[in-house]
Structures are given as structure tokens and as C-alpha cells.
Amino acid sequence: MTDSSPQLRIRRATPDDVPALTRWSSDETVAWVDAERLTDELRTGNYRPEWSWIAERAGQPVGRALWWGQADSERPATLDCLSTSVRGAAAVDVGAALVRAGLDAFGAGAPLEYNVDVAPTW
């Protein structure tokens, strides 16, 4: 049996991708960055297109990774949001590819963290 699904493409976001990044939706409740927060923190430089990654299949987004850092930093400090629109093993593959792309691009430096925000009532 062969895999007939389109190949996964992982790429760094550009300023032209900001609308797609802010339109992204998810029913995940952990580590979710909504459009308002993303837009606000893009303005401050804490999120940046070049610190954001998009996974695509057949030209359609299937995942995003948003890395956060201090506005004056050259490199992010945390992975704030990792989300996919696929489930099961495919979600693991997409998520791992997004994380690997960021780690490879950001290179050596202080260890990067994964920040998980949950409701205080959890």
C-alpha cells in the first residue's frame, strides 16, 4: 500500500501569512493563542512572522507553531502554541515537523521551552 496523501510542507511564515495565522482556529484548550493575542503581540514584536511556522498539505494549512520571545531578542524563548487540524498519528507527524523546523532555524542558544497555559481552575 502506498501513501497517496500530498506531501507535508513546513515553512517559515512571512508577513503575508499573518491573516492566515490569525484566522487559524482550534478546539484545543491547551496553549491556544487566539487572533487578538497574536495580533497584539505581533505589534509588540513578542510574536513575529519569522518565528512562526506553517505546515501545509496541498497548499492548505494543517498546522501552525507560534514561538514567543522578548521584543528585543534575536531568538524566541518559548513555543507558545502548537496546533494541527489533523488528528492521530498525522498530528504527531505535523507537530514534530513544526517543532523541528523551528529548532533547526533558531540554532544554538539557550534551551527553548514549551509554554502551556491552562485555565486556573484546572
Side-chain angles (χ1 to χ4, degrees), residues 17-28 31-36 38 53-56 60-66 81-87 94 98:
D17 291 312
V18 169
L21 290 171
T22 56
R23 278 193 310 267
W24 183 264
S25 64
S26 176
D27 57 3
E28 298 172 6
W32 176 246
V33 175
D34 64 18
E36 182 179 1
L38 178 57
W53 295 86
I54 298 172
E56 297 174 323
Q60 297 301 309
V62 294
R64 77 171 186 178
L66 303 176
C81 182
L82 178 64
S83 179
T84 72
S85 62
V86 294
R87 299 289 178 245
V94 170
L98 286 164

PDB file of all heavy atoms in Angstrom, residues 17-28 31-36 38 53-56 60-66 81-87 94 98:
ATOM      1  N   ASP A  17       1.587  36.038   5.567  1.00  0.00           N
ATOM      2  CA  ASP A  17       0.859  34.934   6.198  1.00  0.00           C
ATOM      3  C   ASP A  17       0.110  35.343   7.463  1.00  0.00           C
ATOM      4  O   ASP A  17      -0.643  34.536   8.011  1.00  0.00           O
ATOM      5  CB  ASP A  17       1.821  33.799   6.566  1.00  0.00           C
ATOM      6  CG  ASP A  17       2.379  33.104   5.348  1.00  0.00           C
ATOM      7  OD1 ASP A  17       1.581  32.758   4.448  1.00  0.00           O
ATOM      8  OD2 ASP A  17       3.612  32.900   5.300  1.00  0.00           O
ATOM      9  N   VAL A  18       0.303  36.562   7.941  1.00  0.00           N
ATOM     10  CA  VAL A  18      -0.334  36.979   9.193  1.00  0.00           C
ATOM     11  C   VAL A  18      -1.847  36.776   9.164  1.00  0.00           C
ATOM     12  O   VAL A  18      -2.418  36.250  10.127  1.00  0.00           O
ATOM     13  CB  VAL A  18       0.067  38.422   9.578  1.00  0.00           C
ATOM     14  CG1 VAL A  18      -0.788  38.958  10.714  1.00  0.00           C
ATOM     15  CG2 VAL A  18       1.553  38.458   9.957  1.00  0.00           C
ATOM     16  N   PRO A  19      -2.560  37.127   8.085  1.00  0.00           N
ATOM     17  CA  PRO A  19      -4.010  36.860   8.087  1.00  0.00           C
ATOM     18  C   PRO A  19      -4.338  35.376   8.272  1.00  0.00           C
ATOM     19  O   PRO A  19      -5.259  35.032   9.022  1.00  0.00           O
ATOM     20  CB  PRO A  19      -4.466  37.364   6.712  1.00  0.00           C
ATOM     21  CG  PRO A  19      -3.467  38.412   6.353  1.00  0.00           C
ATOM     22  CD  PRO A  19      -2.152  37.888   6.894  1.00  0.00           C
ATOM     23  N   ALA A  20      -3.596  34.499   7.640  1.00  0.00           N
ATOM     24  CA  ALA A  20      -3.845  33.056   7.808  1.00  0.00           C
ATOM     25  C   ALA A  20      -3.523  32.610   9.228  1.00  0.00           C
ATOM     26  O   ALA A  20      -4.239  31.785   9.803  1.00  0.00           O
ATOM     27  CB  ALA A  20      -3.017  32.261   6.803  1.00  0.00           C
ATOM     28  N   LEU A  21      -2.468  33.169   9.806  1.00  0.00           N
ATOM     29  CA  LEU A  21      -2.117  32.815  11.186  1.00  0.00           C
ATOM     30  C   LEU A  21      -3.200  33.257  12.159  1.00  0.00           C
ATOM     31  O   LEU A  21      -3.513  32.548  13.117  1.00  0.00           O
ATOM     32  CB  LEU A  21      -0.775  33.440  11.582  1.00  0.00           C
ATOM     33  CG  LEU A  21       0.462  32.867  10.909  1.00  0.00           C
ATOM     34  CD1 LEU A  21       1.679  33.721  11.218  1.00  0.00           C
ATOM     35  CD2 LEU A  21       0.696  31.415  11.318  1.00  0.00           C
ATOM     36  N   THR A  22      -3.781  34.420  11.934  1.00  0.00           N
ATOM     37  CA  THR A  22      -4.802  34.924  12.857  1.00  0.00           C
ATOM     38  C   THR A  22      -6.162  34.277  12.619  1.00  0.00           C
ATOM     39  O   THR A  22      -6.976  34.208  13.538  1.00  0.00           O
ATOM     40  CB  THR A  22      -4.936  36.458  12.781  1.00  0.00           C
ATOM     41  OG1 THR A  22      -5.216  36.849  11.444  1.00  0.00           O
ATOM     42  CG2 THR A  22      -3.675  37.146  13.261  1.00  0.00           C
ATOM     43  N   ARG A  23      -6.417  33.785  11.402  1.00  0.00           N
ATOM     44  CA  ARG A  23      -7.685  33.089  11.122  1.00  0.00           C
ATOM     45  C   ARG A  23      -7.689  31.662  11.654  1.00  0.00           C
ATOM     46  O   ARG A  23      -8.745  31.043  11.750  1.00  0.00           O
ATOM     47  CB  ARG A  23      -7.950  33.035   9.609  1.00  0.00           C
ATOM     48  CG  ARG A  23      -8.554  34.286   9.045  1.00  0.00           C
ATOM     49  CD  ARG A  23      -9.068  34.046   7.629  1.00  0.00           C
ATOM     50  NE  ARG A  23      -8.104  33.408   6.739  1.00  0.00           N
ATOM     51  CZ  ARG A  23      -7.262  34.057   5.937  1.00  0.00           C
ATOM     52  NH1 ARG A  23      -7.268  35.369   5.897  1.00  0.00           N
ATOM     53  NH2 ARG A  23      -6.425  33.392   5.164  1.00  0.00           N
ATOM     54  N   TRP A  24      -6.533  31.124  11.956  1.00  0.00           N
ATOM     55  CA  TRP A  24      -6.421  29.734  12.395  1.00  0.00           C
ATOM     56  C   TRP A  24      -7.334  29.506  13.591  1.00  0.00           C
ATOM     57  O   TRP A  24      -7.398  30.327  14.499  1.00  0.00           O
ATOM     58  CB  TRP A  24      -4.973  29.436  12.769  1.00  0.00           C
ATOM     59  CG  TRP A  24      -4.743  28.015  13.160  1.00  0.00           C
ATOM     60  CD1 TRP A  24      -4.732  27.530  14.430  1.00  0.00           C
ATOM     61  CD2 TRP A  24      -4.519  26.914  12.309  1.00  0.00           C
ATOM     62  NE1 TRP A  24      -4.496  26.182  14.421  1.00  0.00           N
ATOM     63  CE2 TRP A  24      -4.363  25.771  13.121  1.00  0.00           C
ATOM     64  CE3 TRP A  24      -4.431  26.767  10.929  1.00  0.00           C
ATOM     65  CZ2 TRP A  24      -4.122  24.512  12.601  1.00  0.00           C
ATOM     66  CZ3 TRP A  24      -4.186  25.514  10.411  1.00  0.00           C
ATOM     67  CH2 TRP A  24      -4.037  24.398  11.237  1.00  0.00           C
ATOM     68  N   SER A  25      -8.051  28.415  13.594  1.00  0.00           N
ATOM     69  CA  SER A  25      -8.916  28.105  14.730  1.00  0.00           C
ATOM     70  C   SER A  25      -8.645  26.683  15.194  1.00  0.00           C
ATOM     71  O   SER A  25      -8.107  25.864  14.448  1.00  0.00           O
ATOM     72  CB  SER A  25     -10.386  28.276  14.357  1.00  0.00           C
ATOM     73  OG  SER A  25     -10.738  27.342  13.364  1.00  0.00           O
ATOM     74  N   SER A  26      -9.012  26.433  16.432  1.00  0.00           N
ATOM     75  CA  SER A  26      -8.788  25.117  17.005  1.00  0.00           C
ATOM     76  C   SER A  26      -9.752  24.910  18.155  1.00  0.00           C
ATOM     77  O   SER A  26     -10.148  25.858  18.823  1.00  0.00           O
ATOM     78  CB  SER A  26      -7.354  25.017  17.523  1.00  0.00           C
ATOM     79  OG  SER A  26      -7.145  23.790  18.170  1.00  0.00           O
ATOM     80  N   ASP A  27     -10.112  23.657  18.370  1.00  0.00           N
ATOM     81  CA  ASP A  27     -10.938  23.347  19.530  1.00  0.00           C
ATOM     82  C   ASP A  27     -10.076  22.884  20.703  1.00  0.00           C
ATOM     83  O   ASP A  27     -10.585  22.451  21.722  1.00  0.00           O
ATOM     84  CB  ASP A  27     -11.997  22.296  19.182  1.00  0.00           C
ATOM     85  CG  ASP A  27     -11.398  21.013  18.635  1.00  0.00           C
ATOM     86  OD1 ASP A  27     -10.161  20.893  18.564  1.00  0.00           O
ATOM     87  OD2 ASP A  27     -12.182  20.121  18.274  1.00  0.00           O
ATOM     88  N   GLU A  28      -8.761  22.993  20.546  1.00  0.00           N
ATOM     89  CA  GLU A  28      -7.846  22.637  21.624  1.00  0.00           C
ATOM     90  C   GLU A  28      -7.913  23.697  22.716  1.00  0.00           C
ATOM     91  O   GLU A  28      -8.000  24.882  22.439  1.00  0.00           O
ATOM     92  CB  GLU A  28      -6.421  22.532  21.090  1.00  0.00           C
ATOM     93  CG  GLU A  28      -6.274  21.442  20.049  1.00  0.00           C
ATOM     94  CD  GLU A  28      -4.920  21.467  19.371  1.00  0.00           C
ATOM     95  OE1 GLU A  28      -4.054  22.253  19.778  1.00  0.00           O
ATOM     96  OE2 GLU A  28      -4.744  20.695  18.432  1.00  0.00           O
ATOM     97  N   ALA A  31      -2.722  25.766  25.588  1.00  0.00           N
ATOM     98  CA  ALA A  31      -1.719  26.541  24.858  1.00  0.00           C
ATOM     99  C   ALA A  31      -2.270  27.165  23.582  1.00  0.00           C
ATOM    100  O   ALA A  31      -1.608  27.190  22.556  1.00  0.00           O
ATOM    101  CB  ALA A  31      -0.491  25.678  24.556  1.00  0.00           C
ATOM    102  N   TRP A  32      -3.459  27.686  23.638  1.00  0.00           N
ATOM    103  CA  TRP A  32      -4.084  28.297  22.473  1.00  0.00           C
ATOM    104  C   TRP A  32      -3.806  29.791  22.451  1.00  0.00           C
ATOM    105  O   TRP A  32      -3.988  30.485  23.441  1.00  0.00           O
ATOM    106  CB  TRP A  32      -5.584  28.038  22.477  1.00  0.00           C
ATOM    107  CG  TRP A  32      -6.261  28.728  21.339  1.00  0.00           C
ATOM    108  CD1 TRP A  32      -7.160  29.745  21.411  1.00  0.00           C
ATOM    109  CD2 TRP A  32      -6.059  28.485  19.946  1.00  0.00           C
ATOM    110  NE1 TRP A  32      -7.543  30.133  20.158  1.00  0.00           N
ATOM    111  CE2 TRP A  32      -6.868  29.373  19.232  1.00  0.00           C
ATOM    112  CE3 TRP A  32      -5.260  27.601  19.240  1.00  0.00           C
ATOM    113  CZ2 TRP A  32      -6.917  29.410  17.849  1.00  0.00           C
ATOM    114  CZ3 TRP A  32      -5.305  27.633  17.859  1.00  0.00           C
ATOM    115  CH2 TRP A  32      -6.135  28.530  17.179  1.00  0.00           C
ATOM    116  N   VAL A  33      -3.369  30.302  21.327  1.00  0.00           N
ATOM    117  CA  VAL A  33      -3.160  31.735  21.115  1.00  0.00           C
ATOM    118  C   VAL A  33      -4.211  32.179  20.110  1.00  0.00           C
ATOM    119  O   VAL A  33      -4.183  31.759  18.948  1.00  0.00           O
ATOM    120  CB  VAL A  33      -1.740  32.028  20.602  1.00  0.00           C
ATOM    121  CG1 VAL A  33      -1.587  33.500  20.269  1.00  0.00           C
ATOM    122  CG2 VAL A  33      -0.698  31.605  21.641  1.00  0.00           C
ATOM    123  N   ASP A  34      -5.129  33.033  20.578  1.00  0.00           N
ATOM    124  CA  ASP A  34      -6.209  33.468  19.695  1.00  0.00           C
ATOM    125  C   ASP A  34      -5.762  34.651  18.831  1.00  0.00           C
ATOM    126  O   ASP A  34      -4.661  35.191  18.997  1.00  0.00           O
ATOM    127  CB  ASP A  34      -7.469  33.804  20.494  1.00  0.00           C
ATOM    128  CG  ASP A  34      -7.300  34.969  21.448  1.00  0.00           C
ATOM    129  OD1 ASP A  34      -6.355  35.778  21.311  1.00  0.00           O
ATOM    130  OD2 ASP A  34      -8.141  35.091  22.364  1.00  0.00           O
ATOM    131  N   ALA A  35      -6.624  35.048  17.907  1.00  0.00           N
ATOM    132  CA  ALA A  35      -6.298  36.103  16.942  1.00  0.00           C
ATOM    133  C   ALA A  35      -5.980  37.425  17.631  1.00  0.00           C
ATOM    134  O   ALA A  35      -5.046  38.129  17.228  1.00  0.00           O
ATOM    135  CB  ALA A  35      -7.448  36.283  15.953  1.00  0.00           C
ATOM    136  N   GLU A  36      -6.729  37.771  18.660  1.00  0.00           N
ATOM    137  CA  GLU A  36      -6.496  39.045  19.345  1.00  0.00           C
ATOM    138  C   GLU A  36      -5.116  39.082  19.996  1.00  0.00           C
ATOM    139  O   GLU A  36      -4.373  40.044  19.844  1.00  0.00           O
ATOM    140  CB  GLU A  36      -7.584  39.293  20.390  1.00  0.00           C
ATOM    141  CG  GLU A  36      -7.430  40.618  21.107  1.00  0.00           C
ATOM    142  CD  GLU A  36      -8.529  40.863  22.131  1.00  0.00           C
ATOM    143  OE1 GLU A  36      -9.411  40.005  22.311  1.00  0.00           O
ATOM    144  OE2 GLU A  36      -8.479  41.923  22.761  1.00  0.00           O
ATOM    145  N   LEU A  38      -2.523  37.180  19.287  1.00  0.00           N
ATOM    146  CA  LEU A  38      -1.499  37.115  18.251  1.00  0.00           C
ATOM    147  C   LEU A  38      -1.288  38.482  17.614  1.00  0.00           C
ATOM    148  O   LEU A  38      -0.158  38.951  17.471  1.00  0.00           O
ATOM    149  CB  LEU A  38      -1.871  36.072  17.199  1.00  0.00           C
ATOM    150  CG  LEU A  38      -0.906  35.922  16.025  1.00  0.00           C
ATOM    151  CD1 LEU A  38       0.498  35.590  16.482  1.00  0.00           C
ATOM    152  CD2 LEU A  38      -1.426  34.872  15.054  1.00  0.00           C
ATOM    153  N   TRP A  53       5.695  29.190  12.184  1.00  0.00           N
ATOM    154  CA  TRP A  53       5.845  28.151  11.170  1.00  0.00           C
ATOM    155  C   TRP A  53       4.475  27.622  10.772  1.00  0.00           C
ATOM    156  O   TRP A  53       3.578  27.522  11.598  1.00  0.00           O
ATOM    157  CB  TRP A  53       6.713  27.014  11.707  1.00  0.00           C
ATOM    158  CG  TRP A  53       8.101  27.499  11.952  1.00  0.00           C
ATOM    159  CD1 TRP A  53       8.558  28.097  13.090  1.00  0.00           C
ATOM    160  CD2 TRP A  53       9.174  27.524  11.042  1.00  0.00           C
ATOM    161  NE1 TRP A  53       9.860  28.470  12.926  1.00  0.00           N
ATOM    162  CE2 TRP A  53      10.272  28.124  11.685  1.00  0.00           C
ATOM    163  CE3 TRP A  53       9.320  27.072   9.738  1.00  0.00           C
ATOM    164  CZ2 TRP A  53      11.498  28.295  11.062  1.00  0.00           C
ATOM    165  CZ3 TRP A  53      10.553  27.236   9.121  1.00  0.00           C
ATOM    166  CH2 TRP A  53      11.624  27.841   9.780  1.00  0.00           C
ATOM    167  N   ILE A  54       4.354  27.289   9.500  1.00  0.00           N
ATOM    168  CA  ILE A  54       3.107  26.786   8.946  1.00  0.00           C
ATOM    169  C   ILE A  54       3.372  25.432   8.303  1.00  0.00           C
ATOM    170  O   ILE A  54       4.365  25.266   7.576  1.00  0.00           O
ATOM    171  CB  ILE A  54       2.539  27.765   7.897  1.00  0.00           C
ATOM    172  CG1 ILE A  54       2.216  29.109   8.543  1.00  0.00           C
ATOM    173  CG2 ILE A  54       1.319  27.174   7.206  1.00  0.00           C
ATOM    174  CD1 ILE A  54       1.844  30.194   7.551  1.00  0.00           C
ATOM    175  N   ALA A  55       2.485  24.485   8.559  1.00  0.00           N
ATOM    176  CA  ALA A  55       2.509  23.188   7.877  1.00  0.00           C
ATOM    177  C   ALA A  55       1.375  23.202   6.861  1.00  0.00           C
ATOM    178  O   ALA A  55       0.256  23.609   7.178  1.00  0.00           O
ATOM    179  CB  ALA A  55       2.315  22.052   8.881  1.00  0.00           C
ATOM    180  N   GLU A  56       1.670  22.764   5.647  1.00  0.00           N
ATOM    181  CA  GLU A  56       0.663  22.748   4.590  1.00  0.00           C
ATOM    182  C   GLU A  56       0.660  21.394   3.880  1.00  0.00           C
ATOM    183  O   GLU A  56       1.701  20.760   3.731  1.00  0.00           O
ATOM    184  CB  GLU A  56       0.969  23.814   3.535  1.00  0.00           C
ATOM    185  CG  GLU A  56       0.936  25.229   4.044  1.00  0.00           C
ATOM    186  CD  GLU A  56       1.395  26.232   3.005  1.00  0.00           C
ATOM    187  OE1 GLU A  56       2.335  25.932   2.233  1.00  0.00           O
ATOM    188  OE2 GLU A  56       0.820  27.325   2.978  1.00  0.00           O
ATOM    189  N   GLN A  60      -2.903  23.838   1.614  1.00  0.00           N
ATOM    190  CA  GLN A  60      -3.828  24.190   2.701  1.00  0.00           C
ATOM    191  C   GLN A  60      -3.131  24.041   4.052  1.00  0.00           C
ATOM    192  O   GLN A  60      -2.458  23.041   4.291  1.00  0.00           O
ATOM    193  CB  GLN A  60      -5.056  23.279   2.670  1.00  0.00           C
ATOM    194  CG  GLN A  60      -5.884  23.415   1.423  1.00  0.00           C
ATOM    195  CD  GLN A  60      -6.390  24.843   1.225  1.00  0.00           C
ATOM    196  OE1 GLN A  60      -6.961  25.440   2.119  1.00  0.00           O
ATOM    197  NE2 GLN A  60      -6.137  25.395   0.053  1.00  0.00           N
ATOM    198  N   PRO A  61      -3.302  25.022   4.939  1.00  0.00           N
ATOM    199  CA  PRO A  61      -2.675  24.917   6.257  1.00  0.00           C
ATOM    200  C   PRO A  61      -3.246  23.744   7.058  1.00  0.00           C
ATOM    201  O   PRO A  61      -4.458  23.543   7.099  1.00  0.00           O
ATOM    202  CB  PRO A  61      -3.024  26.236   6.947  1.00  0.00           C
ATOM    203  CG  PRO A  61      -3.618  27.111   5.917  1.00  0.00           C
ATOM    204  CD  PRO A  61      -4.047  26.257   4.773  1.00  0.00           C
ATOM    205  N   VAL A  62      -2.343  22.978   7.671  1.00  0.00           N
ATOM    206  CA  VAL A  62      -2.759  21.876   8.547  1.00  0.00           C
ATOM    207  C   VAL A  62      -2.096  21.983   9.922  1.00  0.00           C
ATOM    208  O   VAL A  62      -2.322  21.137  10.784  1.00  0.00           O
ATOM    209  CB  VAL A  62      -2.465  20.493   7.914  1.00  0.00           C
ATOM    210  CG1 VAL A  62      -3.310  20.277   6.670  1.00  0.00           C
ATOM    211  CG2 VAL A  62      -0.984  20.308   7.637  1.00  0.00           C
ATOM    212  N   GLY A  63      -1.295  23.018  10.132  1.00  0.00           N
ATOM    213  CA  GLY A  63      -0.673  23.204  11.439  1.00  0.00           C
ATOM    214  C   GLY A  63       0.032  24.545  11.522  1.00  0.00           C
ATOM    215  O   GLY A  63       0.365  25.149  10.498  1.00  0.00           O
ATOM    216  N   ARG A  64       0.208  24.987  12.767  1.00  0.00           N
ATOM    217  CA  ARG A  64       0.980  26.210  12.991  1.00  0.00           C
ATOM    218  C   ARG A  64       1.735  26.075  14.308  1.00  0.00           C
ATOM    219  O   ARG A  64       1.297  25.395  15.239  1.00  0.00           O
ATOM    220  CB  ARG A  64       0.110  27.465  12.997  1.00  0.00           C
ATOM    221  CG  ARG A  64      -0.672  27.686  14.267  1.00  0.00           C
ATOM    222  CD  ARG A  64      -1.351  29.044  14.327  1.00  0.00           C
ATOM    223  NE  ARG A  64      -1.955  29.187  15.650  1.00  0.00           N
ATOM    224  CZ  ARG A  64      -2.589  30.244  16.086  1.00  0.00           C
ATOM    225  NH1 ARG A  64      -2.736  31.289  15.300  1.00  0.00           N
ATOM    226  NH2 ARG A  64      -3.094  30.293  17.296  1.00  0.00           N
ATOM    227  N   ALA A  65       2.874  26.740  14.361  1.00  0.00           N
ATOM    228  CA  ALA A  65       3.683  26.826  15.574  1.00  0.00           C
ATOM    229  C   ALA A  65       4.037  28.285  15.777  1.00  0.00           C
ATOM    230  O   ALA A  65       4.560  28.931  14.863  1.00  0.00           O
ATOM    231  CB  ALA A  65       4.952  25.988  15.440  1.00  0.00           C
ATOM    232  N   LEU A  66       3.705  28.808  16.951  1.00  0.00           N
ATOM    233  CA  LEU A  66       3.980  30.206  17.277  1.00  0.00           C
ATOM    234  C   LEU A  66       5.004  30.254  18.411  1.00  0.00           C
ATOM    235  O   LEU A  66       4.741  29.777  19.513  1.00  0.00           O
ATOM    236  CB  LEU A  66       2.699  30.918  17.719  1.00  0.00           C
ATOM    237  CG  LEU A  66       1.532  30.900  16.736  1.00  0.00           C
ATOM    238  CD1 LEU A  66       0.305  31.551  17.358  1.00  0.00           C
ATOM    239  CD2 LEU A  66       1.907  31.576  15.438  1.00  0.00           C
ATOM    240  N   CYS A  81       2.383  28.076  21.098  1.00  0.00           N
ATOM    241  CA  CYS A  81       1.206  27.447  20.509  1.00  0.00           C
ATOM    242  C   CYS A  81       1.639  26.492  19.414  1.00  0.00           C
ATOM    243  O   CYS A  81       2.321  26.885  18.476  1.00  0.00           O
ATOM    244  CB  CYS A  81       0.278  28.520  19.940  1.00  0.00           C
ATOM    245  SG  CYS A  81      -1.245  27.853  19.248  1.00  0.00           S
ATOM    246  N   LEU A  82       1.242  25.249  19.566  1.00  0.00           N
ATOM    247  CA  LEU A  82       1.471  24.222  18.559  1.00  0.00           C
ATOM    248  C   LEU A  82       0.123  23.571  18.305  1.00  0.00           C
ATOM    249  O   LEU A  82      -0.474  23.004  19.212  1.00  0.00           O
ATOM    250  CB  LEU A  82       2.483  23.197  19.074  1.00  0.00           C
ATOM    251  CG  LEU A  82       2.804  22.033  18.146  1.00  0.00           C
ATOM    252  CD1 LEU A  82       3.477  22.522  16.865  1.00  0.00           C
ATOM    253  CD2 LEU A  82       3.698  21.030  18.866  1.00  0.00           C
ATOM    254  N   SER A  83      -0.365  23.689  17.086  1.00  0.00           N
ATOM    255  CA  SER A  83      -1.716  23.236  16.796  1.00  0.00           C
ATOM    256  C   SER A  83      -1.778  22.622  15.410  1.00  0.00           C
ATOM    257  O   SER A  83      -1.124  23.109  14.485  1.00  0.00           O
ATOM    258  CB  SER A  83      -2.665  24.434  16.888  1.00  0.00           C
ATOM    259  OG  SER A  83      -3.971  24.073  16.596  1.00  0.00           O
ATOM    260  N   THR A  84      -2.580  21.565  15.277  1.00  0.00           N
ATOM    261  CA  THR A  84      -2.797  20.953  13.970  1.00  0.00           C
ATOM    262  C   THR A  84      -4.293  20.774  13.738  1.00  0.00           C
ATOM    263  O   THR A  84      -5.071  20.710  14.683  1.00  0.00           O
ATOM    264  CB  THR A  84      -2.116  19.571  13.854  1.00  0.00           C
ATOM    265  OG1 THR A  84      -2.825  18.631  14.653  1.00  0.00           O
ATOM    266  CG2 THR A  84      -0.659  19.625  14.252  1.00  0.00           C
ATOM    267  N   SER A  85      -4.653  20.680  12.478  1.00  0.00           N
ATOM    268  CA  SER A  85      -6.053  20.408  12.144  1.00  0.00           C
ATOM    269  C   SER A  85      -6.256  18.933  11.832  1.00  0.00           C
ATOM    270  O   SER A  85      -7.363  18.523  11.526  1.00  0.00           O
ATOM    271  CB  SER A  85      -6.493  21.263  10.950  1.00  0.00           C
ATOM    272  OG  SER A  85      -5.726  20.947   9.811  1.00  0.00           O
ATOM    273  N   VAL A  86      -5.200  18.163  11.906  1.00  0.00           N
ATOM    274  CA  VAL A  86      -5.283  16.722  11.676  1.00  0.00           C
ATOM    275  C   VAL A  86      -5.227  16.016  13.017  1.00  0.00           C
ATOM    276  O   VAL A  86      -4.851  16.608  14.031  1.00  0.00           O
ATOM    277  CB  VAL A  86      -4.157  16.241  10.735  1.00  0.00           C
ATOM    278  CG1 VAL A  86      -4.343  16.821   9.344  1.00  0.00           C
ATOM    279  CG2 VAL A  86      -2.789  16.594  11.276  1.00  0.00           C
ATOM    280  N   ARG A  87      -5.596  14.768  13.052  1.00  0.00           N
ATOM    281  CA  ARG A  87      -5.654  14.022  14.306  1.00  0.00           C
ATOM    282  C   ARG A  87      -4.819  12.754  14.213  1.00  0.00           C
ATOM    283  O   ARG A  87      -4.383  12.351  13.140  1.00  0.00           O
ATOM    284  CB  ARG A  87      -7.109  13.662  14.646  1.00  0.00           C
ATOM    285  CG  ARG A  87      -8.006  14.875  14.827  1.00  0.00           C
ATOM    286  CD  ARG A  87      -7.650  15.608  16.110  1.00  0.00           C
ATOM    287  NE  ARG A  87      -8.458  16.804  16.280  1.00  0.00           N
ATOM    288  CZ  ARG A  87      -7.968  18.034  16.266  1.00  0.00           C
ATOM    289  NH1 ARG A  87      -6.698  18.245  16.084  1.00  0.00           N
ATOM    290  NH2 ARG A  87      -8.752  19.066  16.445  1.00  0.00           N
ATOM    291  N   VAL A  94       2.906  16.124  12.046  1.00  0.00           N
ATOM    292  CA  VAL A  94       2.864  17.550  11.732  1.00  0.00           C
ATOM    293  C   VAL A  94       3.485  18.357  12.871  1.00  0.00           C
ATOM    294  O   VAL A  94       4.325  19.234  12.649  1.00  0.00           O
ATOM    295  CB  VAL A  94       1.418  18.016  11.444  1.00  0.00           C
ATOM    296  CG1 VAL A  94       1.337  19.537  11.358  1.00  0.00           C
ATOM    297  CG2 VAL A  94       0.903  17.380  10.166  1.00  0.00           C
ATOM    298  N   LEU A  98       6.892  20.716  12.714  1.00  0.00           N
ATOM    299  CA  LEU A  98       6.872  22.144  13.038  1.00  0.00           C
ATOM    300  C   LEU A  98       7.913  22.477  14.106  1.00  0.00           C
ATOM    301  O   LEU A  98       8.653  23.467  13.983  1.00  0.00           O
ATOM    302  CB  LEU A  98       5.478  22.557  13.509  1.00  0.00           C
ATOM    303  CG  LEU A  98       4.410  22.664  12.431  1.00  0.00           C
ATOM    304  CD1 LEU A  98       3.017  22.679  13.051  1.00  0.00           C
ATOM    305  CD2 LEU A  98       4.635  23.891  11.563  1.00  0.00           C
TER     306      LEU A  98
END
